[in-house]
Amino acid sequence: MSWWPWRQNPWFETVLEAQRRAKKRLPPSVYAALVAGSERGTTPRDNTDAFAELEFAPHVAGHQPERDLSTTVLGIPISLPVLISPTGVQAVDPEGEVAVARAAAARGTIMGLSSFASKPVEQVVDANPNTFYQLYWTGSKEQMIQRMDRARAAGAKALIATLDWSFSVGRDWGSPSIPEKLDLKSMVTFAPEAVRRPGWTLDFLRSGLPDLTAPNLQPPDGAAPTFFGAYYEWMQTEPPSWEDVEWLRKEWGGPFLLKGITRVDDAKRAVDIGVHAISVSNHGGNNLDTTPATIRCLQPIAEAVGSQVEVLLDGGVRRGGDVAKALALGARAVMIGRAYLWGLAANGQTGVENVLDLMRMGLDSAVLGLGHSSISELSPADLWIPPEFTRTLGAPVAAPRPRRRPAASSKGGSSATTA
Ligand SMILES: Cc1cc2nc3c(=O)[nH]c(=O)nc-3n(C[C@H](O)[C@H](O)[C@H](O)COP(=O)(O)O)c2cc1C
């Protein structure tokens, strides 16, 4: 027991408890930035709710005493099939992405680093050599080459290209106002929120205020852009064609993961242009609202391209059981976003380790109950999948079968039966 019996045990037993603590600890607008979502918020809700629609088919005996949860992603061995998804987080924790990278390294997994992150790629790779660097299609090709060169030189092991963003705006519940930089005026505006969250504010005051720039987008001869400056550049950039994506892959030259796929035809195009991995993702439901939950889109995509590329999934993963379900439907591994952000906000690096431990324990419990000795044995037979569950997007629609003409009955009525 702690010397301070009134202190809460910092260990949390589920990700939802971490979220509750994050909500209590963070200033409301910082918390709202993590909740994200867009428009009605339908997609982030479906991302999580859809997992609960899938039901397990556990065995009662014959369980395996030892279970292997390890795998590889793009050639990198990891101790559990859960990666850190890149998120452009600022101001959740003073150590930000470096704390997350350390936690991922301590638990034997891969760190995904956003190019909109608050810490430089060099520091993050130092904290976790198994870092994947994430890029959006933003700026000129020369700028993209310079950013990729920098990430490669830092030691990033793969490139994640996130291409699903289409600049949807507005949330029915309102968007947080985030300052462009922390000058006197914005500090005065933010002060009432900071006062309401003294623990968080003190942590930041001790380690210096966040500068709210995107250091990984800094040109060789200038200052790092602010988050909003970087966003503006992105909005001004012409969207990429498939040829552009192929160009990006060739310029990177190493392992390449295309993130944001929800359609079977896009997955096949990705294979055609030579990507090595895809993530079935809808950006955590932050973009085009009413895109279906990624877990609904996974199985048809995995069946179409799973033998040619590594198929990952992200969106809505909150428990180890969710990981088991995604693997059963064909994912090699999953990436988590909000789950580790809640952990980071609740308890820094230890909080992220706590989340990864929960994922491991929950996955192990599912693999045990399902009677397997390895995650590679998970399959759709481990689940009950409701009839209307799956969404096959972007696959040729089968031609409707011709309707049989109603058979004339002796009474002159018509049968209601159709073929
Ligand atoms: C606050 C926030 C910021 C994000 N920033 C990025 C980003 O910079 N790059 C990216 O590829 N994805 C970004 N994402 C999407 C995540 O990588 C991931 O796809 C998503 O969070 C998965 O859904 P989940 O949060 O339900 O786990 C962000 C998500 C959130 C919640």
Side-chain angles (χ1 to χ4, degrees):
M1 202 175 54
S2 127
W3 284 106
W4 314 104
W6 58 87
R7 273 218 182 141
Q8 185 178 38
N9 180 352
W11 200 83
F12 41 84
E13 64 183 281
T14 74
V15 167
L16 274 279
E17 172 56 17
Q19 178 175 0
R20 273 191 290 275
R21 293 187 191 182
K23 188 172 184 185
K24 262 195 187 156
R25 183 154 196 278
L26 293 175
S29 56
V30 178
Y31 175 75
L34 299 194
V35 171
S38 79
E39 301 192 357
R40 293 183 181 88
T42 308
T43 299
R45 212 165 30 248
D46 195 33
N47 273 351
T48 50
D49 290 354
F51 275 108
E53 289 178 31
L54 293 169
E55 294 171 3
F56 282 126
H59 286 285
V60 67
H63 295 154
Q64 303 299 318
E66 280 175 24
R67 294 153 309 271
D68 182 7
L69 306 186
S70 67
T71 187
T72 62
V73 169
L74 292 173
I76 296 178
I78 46 178
S79 72
L80 81 168
V82 179
L83 285 69
I84 297 294
S85 207
T87 60
V89 197
Q90 318 228 344
V92 175
D93 176 273
E95 292 200 291
E97 294 81 0
V98 172
V100 177
R102 276 197 209 114
R107 293 301 182 262
T109 193
I110 292 164
M111 167 73 188
L113 176 70
S114 168
S115 46
F116 275 58
S118 62
K119 299 286 179 200
V121 59
E122 294 78 9
Q123 277 182 31
V124 173
V125 176
D126 237 25
N128 186 341
N130 290 328
T131 291
F132 291 179
Y133 182 70
Q134 178 266 326
L135 203 74
Y136 289 118
W137 186 263
T138 168
S140 65
K141 285 189 169 171
E142 289 68 38
Q143 284 171 302
M144 290 184 223
I145 290 173
Q146 179 257 318
R147 290 162 187 169
M148 283 192 279
D149 285 347
R150 176 173 167 189
R152 200 183 298 105
K157 296 263 170 72
L159 191 79
I160 302 176
T162 304
L163 300 179
D164 56 1
W165 194 253
S166 56
F167 305 97
S168 96
V169 285
R171 299 174 178 97
D172 289 350
W173 58 97
S175 293
S177 93
I178 297 168
E180 169 138 30
K181 52 182 184 296
L182 282 185
D183 54 14
L184 188 62
K185 181 168 171 271
S186 62
M187 275 157 63
V188 170
T189 316
F190 193 64
E193 285 204 44
V195 169
R196 280 170 64 193
R197 296 292 187 265
W200 178 88
T201 307
L202 273 176
D203 272 1
F204 266 100
L205 289 178
R206 271 192 221 111
S207 49
L209 290 171
D211 72 353
L212 303 185
T213 61
N216 295 301
L217 301 178
Q218 178 167 11
D221 53 355
T226 60
F227 184 86
F228 290 102
Y231 198 79
Y232 182 75
E233 175 198 90
W234 189 13
M235 286 174 77
Q236 301 305 308
T237 308
E238 208 171 290
S241 64
W242 280 102
E243 288 70 33
D244 289 327
V245 186
E246 188 170 13
W247 169 86
L248 195 66
R249 178 190 69 71
K250 287 183 176 155
E251 279 298 329
W252 172 253
F256 187 95
L257 189 162
L258 181 53
K259 176 170 177 279
I261 288 187
T262 52
R263 300 172 53 112
V264 174
D265 52 359
D266 278 2
K268 290 182 177 168
R269 295 269 323 244
V271 172
D272 291 343
I273 62 158
V275 313
H276 306 104
I278 59 171
S279 188
V280 177
S281 169
N282 53 31
H283 216 105
N286 297 343
N287 189 41
L288 203 56
D289 195 38
T290 68
T291 303
T294 48
I295 190 66
R296 298 187 192 281
C297 304
L298 173 65
Q299 195 177 14
I301 293 176
E303 281 170 3
V305 301
S307 60
Q308 298 161 79
V309 291
E310 295 187 3
V311 177
L312 273 55
L313 168 136
D314 67 80
V317 176
R318 299 289 182 271
R319 333 173 168 263
D322 298 343
V323 182
K325 290 172 182 177
L327 268 56
L329 294 184
R332 186 179 186 86
V334 303
M335 301 203 288
I336 54 171
R338 290 177 183 82
Y340 78 81
L341 292 175
W342 306 140
L344 179 69
N347 198 19
Q349 176 185 337
T350 312
V352 181
E353 290 169 2
N354 190 154
V355 167
L356 289 169
D357 290 343
L358 294 176
M359 294 287 161
R360 180 187 302 281
M361 292 189 300
L363 174 61
D364 186 57
S365 156
V367 174
L368 172 68
L370 294 165
H372 299 311
S373 59
S374 161
I375 51 171
S376 63
E377 294 164 14
L378 290 163
S379 80
D382 293 313
L383 303 177
W384 187 80
I385 307 168
E388 299 282 309
F389 182 80
T390 305
R391 302 286 187 276
T392 306
L393 306 186
V397 180
R401 288 153 74 199
R403 288 175 142 231
R404 236 194 271 143
R405 304 196 77 189
S409 82
S410 54
K411 289 185 189 142
S414 63
S415 154
T417 326
T418 49

